[in-house]
Amino acid sequence: MKKLIALSMIFCALNASAKLGSADDEVKYAGDLDYSNFCEAVVKDDVNMLKRNVRSKIGLVSSSSQGVLRKLIAANGAGMACNGVDLVSFSEQRKASQVYKYLSNVK
């Protein structure tokens, strides 16, 4: 049952995306809003916000924060996407240096 929940979460998270406007604060989300905060954390370059959101998914996605992070940044399109790209690439595109550094060290 937990695998089914985790797989459906990943599938739904793939649909989460941040459509960025002209201003950095202007963000519109499409997809599963339960996971939009991960994209927002990247846009704001806020590692603490990212960590809080990871902790909130413990038990839903994985049994540990490290497991949640690994599933969110999984390769081959199995992880979460913002603007159609994985979280690590999205943080690099947005020049979210703190989040990028944090996510890069998870692998």
Side-chain angles (χ1 to χ4, degrees):
M1 184 68 170
K2 280 190 177 185
K3 280 188 176 184
L4 178 61
I5 292 171
L7 288 175
S8 64
M9 180 286 311
I10 291 172
F11 179 72
C12 291
L14 286 173
N15 293 320
S17 66
K19 296 184 180 179
L20 305 173
S22 58
D24 284 341
D25 293 355
E26 188 178 325
V27 179
K28 295 179 184 177
Y29 296 100
D32 190 343
L33 296 179
D34 287 340
Y35 296 88
S36 63
N37 290 331
F38 291 102
C39 297
E40 186 176 356
V42 172
V43 170
K44 292 181 177 182
D45 196 16
D46 189 340
V47 175
N48 290 325
M49 181 182 196
L50 180 71
K51 288 178 181 180
R52 280 191 308 275
N53 287 297
V54 166
R55 283 192 304 268
S56 75
K57 299 303 179 197
I58 295 173
L60 295 172
V61 177
S62 184
S63 60
S64 68
S65 60
Q66 196 69 13
V68 172
L69 275 172
R70 278 193 221 111
K71 287 187 180 187
L72 289 174
I73 64 169
N76 301 326
M80 176 154 178
C82 298
N83 273 5
V85 296
D86 63 89
L87 279 178
V88 177
S89 298
F90 184 64
S91 63
E92 187 175 27
Q93 285 177 356
R94 293 289 301 165
K95 295 180 177 58
S97 58
Q98 298 301 313
V99 172
Y100 177 75
K101 182 178 174 182
Y102 179 74
L103 292 175
S104 296
N105 290 329
V106 171
K107 296 178 182 180

